[in-house]
Amino acid sequence: GQNIDQPTEMTATEGAIVQINCTYQTSGFNGLFWYQQHAGEAPTFLSYNVLDGLEEKGRFSSFLSRSKGYSYLLLKELQMKDSASYLCAVNNAGNMLTFGGGTRLMVKP
Amino acid sequence: GAVVSQHPSWVICKSGTSVKIECRSLDFQATTMFWYRQFPKQSLMLMATSNEGSKATYEQGVEKDKFLINHASLTLSTLTVTSAHPEDSSFYICSASRNALEAFFGQGTRLTVV
């Protein structure tokens, strides 16, 4: 079966750093995606990891360890607009994305 | 980047009526499109996989006779919610794949059944 776990909610302070973890157990693996979703809007693409290691893109970085079935999304220099849900999704066999439950991040002043 | 257009963005309908939602890939051909449903404060739940020219594959627990999916061309898939009821009120999102690595989402459709 497919199982993707991430924390339900997190709170952080503006300007700080926050790490959102995701663990997965899926049949087949063609990469792991992170999406940002503001309330009432469709998800927007943040990052994609298919090989182990860290991918950095501006204030956002994503890490993957395939042997551990583990990824994290790191957000630096948090801004109020970063308050959103962050979805971890695994691309398994057949181009299908399986989503985790999402992590609602609240950034406080 | 690739563009997926979903229409309408929001719709209000009366209980018992049917609603059609369109999903178009504007600048690429999508042999596979996916339909998701998202309830408030929950993640996306895959409803069905739509393949061009063939019947959709529905996830367990999704009524295929209630959620009709048609993928008549490589750029268009439609989801029709038949005999809608208030419990069908949700956010419906489509996505289209250009290859094994990329999925592009439509803007989503907020359906409210009154």
Side-chain angles (χ1 to χ4, degrees), chain B residues 96-108:
Chain B
S97 289
R98 185 162 57 181
N99 52 47
L101 304 180
E102 298 175 299
F104 302 96
F105 287 91
Q107 301 94 319

Side-chain angles (χ1 to χ4, degrees), chain B residues 32-72:
Chain B
T32 305
M33 290 186 176
F34 303 91
W35 287 96
Y36 297 87
R37 180 168 55 182
Q38 185 177 34
F39 291 106
K41 297 188 177 181
Q42 295 186 22
S43 188
L44 282 73
M45 297 299 296
L46 180 65
M47 298 176 66
T49 303
S50 169
N51 295 297
E52 185 267 338
S54 63
K55 291 183 178 180
T57 303
Y58 291 81
E59 295 299 299
Q60 193 172 11
V62 178
E63 300 175 58
K64 62 180 180 180
D65 294 330
K66 180 171 183 63
F67 299 99
L68 301 179
I69 291 174
N70 183 281
H71 195 154

Side-chain angles (χ1 to χ4, degrees), chain B residues 35 78 93:
Chain B
W35 287 96
T78 60
I93 307 174

Side-chain angles (χ1 to χ4, degrees), chain A residues 43-76:
Chain A
T44 56
F45 171 81
L46 289 179
S47 68
Y48 169 72
N49 295 69
V50 66
L51 300 176
D52 290 351
L54 186 68
E55 294 281 342
E56 297 187 77
K57 188 184 297 184
R59 293 191 298 117
F60 293 1
S61 302
S62 57
F63 171 84
L64 175 67
S65 169
R66 289 172 296 170
S67 62
K68 295 182 179 178
Y70 168 70
S71 172
Y72 67 72
L73 179 69
L74 192 71
L75 292 77
K76 304 175 185 177

